Amino acid sequence: MDFWDVHGLFFLFFVTFFPRLTMLFAVTVPFGWLAWLGWLLAPHLTVAILATTYYWHTNPILCIISWFFAFAGTGGETKVVQLVVRRY
């Protein structure tokens, strides 16, 4: 299954910048307790894991880019939260 056969450019944009909302409303893959934990704690990482699981054989470049965003997105969120907590 190819990513572009199932999803479009808007889905890619929203899953990159709003992973929690996109997974909550647009992903039809059954979630287990581990996926819900990932959704809560590290949504970018969960998106990268799901992308690699389902689309590695057809879109490896897209999966590698999702891992870059996973590390940058999760790390960026952590830094923003730390700055806000320090301010107050």
Side-chain angles (χ1 to χ4, degrees):
M1 168 179 18
D2 188 36
F3 177 84
W4 300 110
D5 291 340
V6 180
H7 306 291
L9 197 57
F10 286 116
F11 180 83
L12 187 62
F13 173 79
F14 282 110
V15 83
T16 302
F17 294 107
F18 308 107
R20 284 189 181 104
L21 288 174
T22 307
M23 284 189 291
L24 186 62
F25 294 116
V27 174
T28 59
V29 176
F31 266 26
W33 67 273
L34 190 59
W36 280 110
L37 187 64
W39 178 85
L40 183 65
L41 298 177
H44 291 97
L45 188 62
T46 305
V47 167
I49 291 170
L50 289 173
T52 304
T53 302
Y54 290 104
Y55 301 114
W56 177 256
H57 296 292
T58 57
N59 297 96
I61 301 299
L62 193 63
C63 293
I64 291 170
I65 293 170
S66 74
W67 280 101
F68 284 125
F69 274 100
F71 292 128
T74 305
E77 286 178 354
T78 304
K79 288 180 183 177
V80 168
V81 169
Q82 287 175 352
L83 288 174
V84 170
V85 168
R86 285 183 192 165
R87 190 180 298 176
Y88 296 106

Coordinates of all heavy atoms in Angstrom, one line a residue:
M1 N 0.8 -1.2 0.0 CA 0.0 0.0 0.0 C 0.9 1.2 0.0 O 1.8 1.3 0.8 CB -0.9 -0.1 1.2 CG -1.6 1.2 1.5 SD -2.7 1.2 2.9 CE -2.3 -0.1 3.9
D2 N 0.6 2.2 -0.9 CA 1.4 3.4 -1.0 C 0.7 4.5 -0.2 O -0.5 4.6 -0.1 CB 1.5 3.8 -2.4 CG 2.4 5.0 -2.7 OD1 3.4 5.0 -2.0 OD2 2.1 5.8 -3.5
F3 N 1.5 5.3 0.5 CA 1.0 6.4 1.3 C 0.1 7.3 0.4 O -1.0 7.8 0.9 CB 2.1 7.2 1.9 CG 1.7 8.4 2.7 CD1 1.3 8.3 4.0 CD2 1.6 9.7 2.1 CE1 0.9 9.4 4.7 CE2 1.2 10.8 2.8 CZ 0.8 10.6 4.1
W4 N 0.5 7.7 -0.8 CA -0.2 8.6 -1.6 C -1.5 8.1 -2.2 O -2.4 8.8 -2.6 CB 0.7 9.1 -2.7 CG 1.9 9.8 -2.2 CD1 3.2 9.4 -2.2 CD2 2.0 11.0 -1.4 NE1 4.0 10.2 -1.6 CE2 3.3 11.3 -1.0 CE3 1.0 11.9 -1.0 CZ2 3.7 12.4 -0.3 CZ3 1.4 13.1 -0.3 CH2 2.7 13.3 0.1
D5 N -1.7 6.7 -2.2 CA -2.9 6.1 -2.6 C -4.0 6.3 -1.5 O -5.2 6.3 -1.8 CB -2.7 4.6 -2.9 CG -1.9 4.4 -4.1 OD1 -1.8 5.3 -4.9 OD2 -1.4 3.3 -4.2
V6 N -3.6 6.4 -0.2 CA -4.5 6.5 0.9 C -4.7 7.9 1.4 O -5.8 8.3 1.8 CB -4.0 5.6 2.0 CG1 -4.9 5.6 3.2 CG2 -3.8 4.1 1.5
H7 N -3.6 8.7 1.4 CA -3.6 10.0 2.0 C -3.1 11.0 1.0 O -2.5 10.7 0.0 CB -2.7 10.1 3.3 CG -3.0 9.0 4.3 ND1 -4.2 9.1 5.0 CD2 -2.3 8.0 4.7 CE1 -4.2 8.0 5.9 NE2 -3.0 7.3 5.7
G8 N -3.4 12.3 1.3 CA -3.0 13.4 0.4 C -2.1 14.3 1.1 O -1.6 14.1 2.3
L9 N -1.8 15.5 0.5 CA -0.9 16.5 1.0 C -1.5 17.1 2.3 O -0.7 17.5 3.2 CB -0.7 17.5 -0.1 CG 0.6 18.4 0.1 CD1 1.8 17.5 0.2 CD2 0.7 19.3 -1.1
F10 N -2.8 17.3 2.4 CA -3.3 17.9 3.6 C -3.2 17.1 4.8 O -2.8 17.5 5.9 CB -4.8 18.3 3.4 CG -5.1 19.4 2.5 CD1 -5.7 19.3 1.3 CD2 -4.6 20.7 2.9 CE1 -5.9 20.4 0.5 CE2 -4.9 21.8 2.1 CZ -5.5 21.6 0.8
F11 N -3.3 15.8 4.6 CA -3.1 14.8 5.7 C -1.7 14.9 6.2 O -1.4 14.9 7.4 CB -3.5 13.4 5.3 CG -3.3 12.4 6.4 CD1 -4.2 12.2 7.4 CD2 -2.1 11.6 6.5 CE1 -4.1 11.3 8.4 CE2 -1.9 10.7 7.5 CZ -2.9 10.6 8.5
L12 N -0.7 14.9 5.3 CA 0.7 15.0 5.6 C 1.0 16.3 6.4 O 1.7 16.3 7.4 CB 1.5 15.0 4.3 CG 3.0 14.9 4.5 CD1 3.4 13.6 5.3 CD2 3.7 14.9 3.2
F13 N 0.4 17.4 6.0 CA 0.6 18.7 6.7 C 0.0 18.6 8.1 O 0.7 19.0 9.1 CB -0.1 19.8 5.9 CG -0.1 21.1 6.6 CD1 1.0 21.9 6.7 CD2 -1.2 21.6 7.3 CE1 1.0 23.1 7.4 CE2 -1.2 22.7 8.0 CZ -0.1 23.5 8.1
F14 N -1.2 18.1 8.2 CA -1.8 18.1 9.5 C -1.2 17.1 10.5 O -1.0 17.3 11.7 CB -3.3 17.8 9.4 CG -4.1 19.0 9.0 CD1 -4.6 19.0 7.7 CD2 -4.3 20.1 9.8 CE1 -5.4 20.2 7.3 CE2 -5.0 21.2 9.4 CZ -5.5 21.2 8.2
V15 N -0.7 15.9 10.0 CA -0.1 15.0 10.8 C 1.3 15.4 11.3 O 1.8 15.1 12.3 CB 0.0 13.6 10.2 CG1 1.1 13.4 9.2 CG2 0.0 12.5 11.2
T16 N 1.9 16.3 10.5 CA 3.2 16.9 10.8 C 3.1 18.0 11.9 O 3.8 18.0 12.9 CB 3.9 17.5 9.6 OG1 4.1 16.5 8.6 CG2 5.3 18.1 9.9
F17 N 2.1 18.9 11.8 CA 2.0 20.0 12.7 C 1.0 19.8 13.8 O 1.0 20.5 14.8 CB 1.7 21.3 11.9 CG 2.9 21.6 11.0 CD1 2.8 21.5 9.7 CD2 4.1 22.1 11.6 CE1 3.9 21.8 8.8 CE2 5.1 22.5 10.8 CZ 5.0 22.3 9.4
F18 N 0.0 18.9 13.6 CA -1.0 18.7 14.6 C -1.2 17.2 14.8 O -2.3 16.6 14.4 CB -2.4 19.3 14.2 CG -2.3 20.8 13.9 CD1 -2.3 21.2 12.5 CD2 -2.1 21.7 14.8 CE1 -2.2 22.5 12.2 CE2 -2.0 23.0 14.5 CZ -2.1 23.5 13.2
P19 N -0.2 16.4 15.3 CA -0.3 15.0 15.3 C -1.4 14.4 16.2 O -2.0 13.4 15.8 CB 1.1 14.5 15.7 CG 1.6 15.7 16.5 CD 1.1 16.9 15.8
R20 N -1.6 15.0 17.3 CA -2.6 14.5 18.2 C -4.0 14.6 17.6 O -4.8 13.6 17.6 CB -2.6 15.2 19.6 CG -1.4 14.8 20.4 CD -1.5 15.4 21.8 NE -0.4 15.0 22.6 CZ 0.6 15.8 22.9 NH1 0.6 17.0 22.5 NH2 1.6 15.3 23.7
L21 N -4.4 15.7 17.1 CA -5.7 15.9 16.5 C -5.9 15.0 15.3 O -6.9 14.4 15.1 CB -5.9 17.4 16.1 CG -6.1 18.3 17.3 CD1 -6.2 19.8 16.8 CD2 -7.4 18.0 18.0
T22 N -4.8 14.9 14.5 CA -4.9 14.1 13.2 C -5.1 12.6 13.6 O -5.9 12.0 13.0 CB -3.7 14.3 12.4 OG1 -3.5 15.7 12.1 CG2 -3.8 13.6 11.0
M23 N -4.3 12.2 14.6 CA -4.5 10.7 14.9 C -5.8 10.5 15.6 O -6.4 9.4 15.4 CB -3.4 10.3 15.9 CG -2.0 10.1 15.2 SD -0.8 9.3 16.2 CE -0.4 10.6 17.4
L24 N -6.3 11.5 16.3 CA -7.6 11.3 17.0 C -8.8 11.2 16.0 O -9.7 10.4 16.2 CB -7.8 12.4 18.0 CG -9.0 12.4 18.9 CD1 -8.9 11.1 19.8 CD2 -9.2 13.6 19.7
F25 N -8.7 12.1 15.0 CA -9.9 12.1 14.1 C -9.7 11.5 12.8 O -10.7 11.1 12.1 CB -10.3 13.6 13.9 CG -10.8 14.3 15.1 CD1 -10.1 15.4 15.6 CD2 -11.9 13.9 15.7 CE1 -10.5 16.0 16.8 CE2 -12.4 14.5 16.8 CZ -11.7 15.6 17.4
A26 N -8.5 11.2 12.3 CA -8.3 10.7 10.9 C -7.7 9.4 10.8 O -7.7 8.8 9.7 CB -7.5 11.8 10.2
V27 N -7.1 8.8 11.8 CA -6.4 7.5 11.7 C -7.4 6.5 12.1 O -8.0 6.5 13.1 CB -5.2 7.5 12.6 CG1 -4.5 6.1 12.6 CG2 -4.1 8.5 12.2
T28 N -7.5 5.5 11.2 CA -8.5 4.4 11.4 C -7.8 3.1 11.9 O -8.5 2.1 12.0 CB -9.3 4.1 10.1 OG1 -8.3 3.8 9.1 CG2 -10.0 5.3 9.7
V29 N -6.5 3.2 12.2 CA -5.8 2.0 12.7 C -6.2 1.8 14.1 O -6.3 2.7 14.9 CB -4.3 2.2 12.6 CG1 -3.5 1.1 13.2 CG2 -3.9 2.5 11.2
P30 N -6.6 0.5 14.5 CA -7.0 0.3 15.9 C -5.8 0.5 16.8 O -4.7 0.1 16.6 CB -7.3 -1.2 15.9 CG -7.2 -1.7 14.5 CD -6.6 -0.7 13.6
F31 N -6.1 1.3 17.8 CA -5.0 1.7 18.8 C -5.1 0.8 20.0 O -6.2 0.5 20.5 CB -5.3 3.1 19.3 CG -4.5 4.2 18.5 CD1 -4.1 4.0 17.2 CD2 -4.2 5.4 19.2 CE1 -3.4 4.9 16.6 CE2 -3.5 6.3 18.5 CZ -3.1 6.1 17.2
G32 N -4.0 0.3 20.5 CA -3.9 -0.4 21.7 C -3.5 0.6 22.8 O -3.3 1.8 22.6
W33 N -3.3 0.1 24.0 CA -2.9 0.9 25.1 C -1.5 1.6 24.9 O -1.3 2.7 25.3 CB -2.9 0.2 26.4 CG -1.9 -0.9 26.6 CD1 -2.0 -2.2 26.2 CD2 -0.6 -0.7 27.1 NE1 -0.8 -2.8 26.4 CE2 0.1 -1.9 27.0 CE3 0.1 0.4 27.7 CZ2 1.4 -2.1 27.4 CZ3 1.4 0.2 28.1 CH2 2.0 -1.1 28.0
L34 N -0.6 0.9 24.2 CA 0.7 1.5 24.0 C 0.6 2.6 23.0 O 1.3 3.6 23.2 CB 1.6 0.4 23.5 CG 3.1 0.7 23.4 CD1 3.6 1.1 24.8 CD2 3.9 -0.5 22.9
A35 N -0.2 2.5 22.0 CA -0.4 3.6 21.1 C -1.0 4.8 21.7 O -0.7 5.9 21.4 CB -1.2 3.1 19.9
W36 N -2.0 4.6 22.6 CA -2.6 5.7 23.3 C -1.6 6.4 24.2 O -1.6 7.6 24.4 CB -3.8 5.2 24.1 CG -5.0 5.1 23.3 CD1 -5.6 3.9 22.9 CD2 -5.8 6.1 22.6 NE1 -6.7 4.1 22.1 CE2 -6.8 5.5 21.9 CE3 -5.7 7.5 22.6 CZ2 -7.7 6.2 21.2 CZ3 -6.6 8.2 21.9 CH2 -7.6 7.6 21.2
L37 N -0.7 5.6 24.8 CA 0.3 6.2 25.7 C 1.3 7.0 24.8 O 1.6 8.1 25.2 CB 1.1 5.1 26.4 CG 2.1 5.5 27.4 CD1 1.4 6.2 28.6 CD2 2.9 4.3 28.0
G38 N 1.6 6.5 23.7 CA 2.4 7.3 22.7 C 1.7 8.6 22.2 O 2.3 9.6 22.1
W39 N 0.4 8.4 22.0 CA -0.4 9.6 21.6 C -0.4 10.7 22.6 O -0.3 11.9 22.3 CB -1.8 9.1 21.3 CG -2.7 10.3 20.9 CD1 -2.9 10.8 19.7 CD2 -3.6 11.0 21.8 NE1 -3.9 11.8 19.7 CE2 -4.3 11.9 21.0 CE3 -3.9 11.0 23.1 CZ2 -5.2 12.8 21.5 CZ3 -4.8 11.8 23.7 CH2 -5.5 12.8 22.8
L40 N -0.4 10.3 23.9 CA -0.4 11.2 25.0 C 1.0 11.8 25.2 O 1.1 13.0 25.4 CB -0.9 10.5 26.3 CG -1.1 11.4 27.5 CD1 -2.1 12.4 27.3 CD2 -1.4 10.5 28.7
L41 N 2.0 11.0 25.2 CA 3.4 11.5 25.6 C 4.2 12.0 24.5 O 5.0 12.9 24.7 CB 4.1 10.4 26.4 CG 3.4 9.9 27.7 CD1 4.2 8.8 28.3 CD2 3.3 11.1 28.7
A42 N 4.2 11.3 23.4 CA 5.1 11.6 22.3 C 4.4 11.4 20.9 O 4.7 10.4 20.3 CB 6.4 10.8 22.3
P43 N 3.5 12.3 20.5 CA 2.7 12.0 19.3 C 3.5 12.0 18.0 O 3.2 11.2 17.1 CB 1.7 13.2 19.3 CG 2.4 14.3 20.1 CD 3.2 13.6 21.1
H44 N 4.6 12.8 17.9 CA 5.4 12.8 16.7 C 6.1 11.4 16.6 O 6.2 10.9 15.5 CB 6.4 13.9 16.7 CG 5.8 15.3 16.6 ND1 5.6 16.1 17.7 CD2 5.4 16.0 15.5 CE1 5.1 17.2 17.2 NE2 5.0 17.2 15.9
L45 N 6.6 10.9 17.7 CA 7.2 9.6 17.7 C 6.2 8.5 17.3 O 6.6 7.6 16.5 CB 7.8 9.3 19.0 CG 8.7 8.1 19.2 CD1 9.9 8.2 18.3 CD2 9.2 7.9 20.6
T46 N 5.0 8.6 17.8 CA 4.0 7.6 17.4 C 3.7 7.7 15.9 O 3.5 6.6 15.3 CB 2.7 7.9 18.3 OG1 3.1 7.9 19.6 CG2 1.7 6.8 18.0
V47 N 3.6 8.9 15.4 CA 3.4 9.0 13.9 C 4.5 8.4 13.1 O 4.3 7.7 12.2 CB 3.2 10.5 13.6 CG1 3.3 10.7 12.1 CG2 1.9 11.0 14.1
A48 N 5.7 8.6 13.6 CA 6.9 8.0 12.9 C 6.8 6.5 13.0 O 7.1 5.8 12.0 CB 8.2 8.5 13.4
I49 N 6.5 5.9 14.1 CA 6.4 4.5 14.3 C 5.3 3.9 13.4 O 5.5 2.9 12.7 CB 6.2 4.1 15.7 CG1 7.4 4.4 16.5 CG2 5.8 2.6 15.9 CD1 7.2 4.3 18.0
L50 N 4.1 4.5 13.4 CA 3.0 4.1 12.5 C 3.4 4.2 11.0 O 3.1 3.3 10.2 CB 1.8 4.8 12.8 CG 1.1 4.5 14.1 CD1 0.0 5.5 14.4 CD2 0.6 3.1 14.2
A51 N 4.0 5.3 10.6 CA 4.4 5.5 9.2 C 5.4 4.4 8.8 O 5.3 3.8 7.7 CB 5.0 6.8 9.0
T52 N 6.4 4.1 9.7 CA 7.4 3.1 9.3 C 6.8 1.7 9.3 O 7.1 0.9 8.4 CB 8.5 3.1 10.4 OG1 9.1 4.4 10.4 CG2 9.6 2.1 10.0
T53 N 5.9 1.4 10.2 CA 5.2 0.1 10.2 C 4.4 -0.1 8.9 O 4.4 -1.2 8.3 CB 4.3 0.0 11.4 OG1 5.0 0.2 12.6 CG2 3.6 -1.3 11.4
Y54 N 3.7 0.9 8.4 CA 2.7 0.7 7.3 C 3.3 1.0 5.9 O 2.9 0.5 4.9 CB 1.4 1.5 7.5 CG 0.6 0.9 8.7 CD1 0.6 1.5 9.9 CD2 -0.1 -0.3 8.5 CE1 -0.1 0.9 10.9 CE2 -0.8 -0.9 9.5 CZ -0.8 -0.2 10.7 OH -1.5 -0.8 11.8
Y55 N 4.3 2.0 5.9 CA 4.7 2.5 4.6 C 6.2 2.4 4.3 O 6.6 3.0 3.3 CB 4.3 4.0 4.4 CG 2.8 4.2 4.6 CD1 2.3 4.9 5.7 CD2 1.9 3.7 3.7 CE1 0.9 5.1 5.8 CE2 0.5 3.8 3.8 CZ 0.0 4.5 4.9 OH -1.3 4.7 5.0
W56 N 6.9 1.6 5.1 CA 8.4 1.5 4.8 C 8.7 0.9 3.5 O 9.6 1.4 2.8 CB 9.0 0.8 5.9 CG 10.5 0.6 5.7 CD1 11.1 -0.5 5.3 CD2 11.5 1.6 5.8 NE1 12.5 -0.3 5.1 CE2 12.7 1.0 5.5 CE3 11.5 2.9 6.2 CZ2 13.9 1.7 5.5 CZ3 12.7 3.6 6.2 CH2 13.9 3.0 5.9
H57 N 8.0 -0.1 3.0 CA 8.3 -0.8 1.8 C 8.0 0.0 0.6 O 8.6 -0.2 -0.5 CB 7.5 -2.1 1.7 CG 8.0 -3.1 2.8 ND1 9.2 -3.6 2.9 CD2 7.3 -3.5 3.9 CE1 9.3 -4.4 4.0 NE2 8.2 -4.3 4.6
T58 N 7.0 0.9 0.7 CA 6.7 1.7 -0.5 C 7.2 3.2 -0.5 O 7.5 3.7 -1.5 CB 5.1 1.8 -0.7 OG1 4.6 2.3 0.5 CG2 4.6 0.4 -1.0
N59 N 7.4 3.7 0.7 CA 7.9 5.1 0.8 C 8.9 5.3 1.9 O 8.7 5.9 2.9 CB 6.7 6.1 1.2 CG 5.7 6.1 0.1 OD1 4.7 5.4 0.2 ND2 5.8 6.9 -0.9
P60 N 10.1 4.7 1.7 CA 11.1 4.8 2.8 C 11.6 6.2 3.0 O 11.9 6.6 4.2 CB 12.3 3.9 2.3 CG 12.1 3.8 0.8 CD 10.6 3.9 0.6
I61 N 11.7 7.1 2.0 CA 12.1 8.5 2.2 C 11.1 9.2 3.1 O 11.5 10.0 3.9 CB 12.3 9.2 0.8 CG1 13.3 8.4 -0.1 CG2 12.6 10.6 1.0 CD1 14.7 8.4 0.5
L62 N 9.8 9.0 2.8 CA 8.8 9.6 3.7 C 8.9 9.2 5.1 O 8.7 10.0 6.0 CB 7.4 9.3 3.1 CG 6.3 10.1 3.6 CD1 6.4 11.6 3.3 CD2 5.0 9.6 3.0
C63 N 9.2 7.9 5.3 CA 9.4 7.4 6.7 C 10.6 8.0 7.4 O 10.6 8.4 8.6 CB 9.5 5.9 6.7 SG 8.0 5.1 6.2
I64 N 11.7 8.2 6.6 CA 12.9 8.8 7.2 C 12.6 10.2 7.6 O 13.0 10.7 8.6 CB 14.1 8.7 6.2 CG1 14.5 7.2 6.1 CG2 15.3 9.5 6.6 CD1 15.5 6.9 5.0
I65 N 11.9 11.0 6.7 CA 11.6 12.3 7.0 C 10.7 12.4 8.3 O 10.8 13.3 9.1 CB 10.9 13.0 5.8 CG1 11.9 13.2 4.7 CG2 10.3 14.3 6.2 CD1 11.3 13.6 3.4
S66 N 9.8 11.4 8.4 CA 8.9 11.4 9.6 C 9.7 11.2 10.9 O 9.4 11.8 11.9 CB 7.8 10.3 9.5 OG 8.4 9.0 9.6
W67 N 10.8 10.5 10.8 CA 11.7 10.3 12.0 C 12.4 11.6 12.3 O 12.6 11.9 13.5 CB 12.6 9.1 11.8 CG 12.0 7.8 12.0 CD1 11.5 6.9 11.1 CD2 11.7 7.3 13.3 NE1 10.9 5.9 11.7 CE2 11.0 6.0 13.1 CE3 11.9 7.7 14.6 CZ2 10.6 5.2 14.1 CZ3 11.4 6.8 15.6 CH2 10.8 5.6 15.4
F68 N 12.8 12.3 11.3 CA 13.4 13.6 11.6 C 12.4 14.6 12.3 O 12.8 15.2 13.2 CB 13.9 14.3 10.3 CG 15.2 13.7 9.7 CD1 15.3 13.2 8.4 CD2 16.3 13.6 10.5 CE1 16.4 12.7 7.9 CE2 17.5 13.1 10.1 CZ 17.6 12.6 8.8
F69 N 11.2 14.6 11.8 CA 10.2 15.4 12.4 C 9.8 14.9 13.8 O 9.5 15.7 14.7 CB 8.9 15.5 11.6 CG 9.0 16.6 10.6 CD1 9.3 16.3 9.2 CD2 8.7 17.9 10.9 CE1 9.4 17.3 8.3 CE2 8.8 18.9 10.0 CZ 9.1 18.6 8.6
A70 N 9.9 13.6 14.0 CA 9.6 13.0 15.3 C 10.6 13.5 16.4 O 10.3 13.9 17.5 CB 9.7 11.5 15.2
F71 N 11.9 13.5 16.0 CA 12.9 13.9 17.0 C 12.9 15.4 17.1 O 13.0 15.9 18.3 CB 14.3 13.5 16.6 CG 14.5 12.0 16.6 CD1 14.9 11.3 15.6 CD2 14.2 11.3 17.8 CE1 15.1 9.9 15.7 CE2 14.3 9.9 17.9 CZ 14.8 9.2 16.8
A72 N 12.7 16.2 16.1 CA 12.6 17.6 16.2 C 11.3 18.1 16.9 O 11.3 19.0 17.7 CB 12.7 18.3 14.8
G73 N 10.2 17.5 16.5 CA 8.9 17.9 17.1 C 8.8 17.6 18.6 O 8.4 18.4 19.4
T74 N 9.2 16.4 19.0 CA 9.1 16.0 20.4 C 10.1 16.8 21.2 O 9.8 17.3 22.3 CB 9.4 14.5 20.6 OG1 8.4 13.8 19.8 CG2 9.2 14.1 22.0
G75 N 11.3 17.0 20.7 CA 12.3 17.8 21.4 C 11.9 19.3 21.4 O 12.2 20.0 22.4
G76 N 11.3 19.8 20.4 CA 10.9 21.2 20.4 C 9.8 21.4 21.3 O 9.7 22.5 22.0
E77 N 8.8 20.5 21.4 CA 7.7 20.6 22.4 C 8.3 20.6 23.8 O 7.8 21.4 24.7 CB 6.7 19.5 22.3 CG 5.8 19.7 21.1 CD 4.9 18.5 20.9 OE1 5.0 17.5 21.7 OE2 4.0 18.6 20.0
T78 N 9.3 19.8 24.1 CA 9.9 19.7 25.4 C 10.5 21.0 25.8 O 10.4 21.5 26.9 CB 10.9 18.5 25.5 OG1 10.2 17.3 25.1 CG2 11.4 18.4 26.8
K79 N 11.3 21.6 24.8 CA 11.9 22.9 25.1 C 11.0 24.0 25.4 O 11.2 24.8 26.3 CB 12.9 23.2 24.0 CG 14.1 22.3 23.9 CD 15.0 22.7 22.8 CE 16.2 21.7 22.7 NZ 17.1 22.0 21.6
V80 N 9.9 24.0 24.6 CA 8.9 25.1 24.8 C 8.2 24.9 26.2 O 8.0 25.9 26.9 CB 7.8 25.0 23.7 CG1 6.6 25.9 24.1 CG2 8.4 25.5 22.4
V81 N 7.9 23.7 26.6 CA 7.3 23.5 27.9 C 8.3 23.9 29.0 O 7.9 24.5 30.0 CB 6.9 22.0 28.1 CG1 6.5 21.7 29.5 CG2 5.7 21.7 27.1
Q82 N 9.5 23.5 28.9 CA 10.5 23.9 29.9 C 10.7 25.4 30.0 O 10.8 26.0 31.1 CB 11.9 23.3 29.5 CG 12.0 21.8 29.8 CD 13.3 21.2 29.3 OE1 14.1 21.9 28.7 NE2 13.5 19.9 29.6
L83 N 10.6 26.2 28.9 CA 10.7 27.6 28.9 C 9.5 28.2 29.6 O 9.6 29.2 30.4 CB 10.8 28.2 27.5 CG 12.2 28.0 26.8 CD1 12.1 28.4 25.4 CD2 13.3 28.7 27.6
V84 N 8.3 27.7 29.3 CA 7.1 28.2 29.9 C 7.1 27.9 31.4 O 6.8 28.8 32.2 CB 5.9 27.6 29.3 CG1 4.6 27.9 30.0 CG2 5.7 28.1 27.8
V85 N 7.5 26.8 31.8 CA 7.6 26.4 33.3 C 8.6 27.3 34.0 O 8.3 27.8 35.1 CB 7.9 24.9 33.4 CG1 8.2 24.6 34.9 CG2 6.7 24.1 32.9
R86 N 9.7 27.5 33.4 CA 10.7 28.4 34.0 C 10.2 29.8 34.2 O 10.6 30.5 35.1 CB 12.0 28.4 33.2 CG 12.8 27.1 33.3 CD 14.1 27.3 32.5 NE 14.7 26.0 32.4 CZ 15.7 25.7 31.6 NH1 16.1 26.6 30.8 NH2 16.2 24.5 31.6
R87 N 9.4 30.3 33.2 CA 8.9 31.7 33.3 C 8.0 31.9 34.4 O 8.0 32.9 35.0 CB 8.3 32.0 31.9 CG 7.9 33.5 31.8 CD 7.3 33.8 30.5 NE 8.1 33.5 29.4 CZ 7.8 33.6 28.1 NH1 6.6 34.0 27.8 NH2 8.6 33.3 27.2
Y88 N 7.2 30.9 34.8 CA 6.2 31.0 35.9 C 6.8 30.3 37.1 O 6.5 30.1 38.0 CB 4.9 30.4 35.4 CG 4.3 31.2 34.3 CD1 4.3 30.6 33.0 CD2 3.8 32.5 34.5 CE1 3.7 31.3 32.0 CE2 3.2 33.2 33.4 CZ 3.2 32.6 32.2 OH 2.7 33.3 31.1

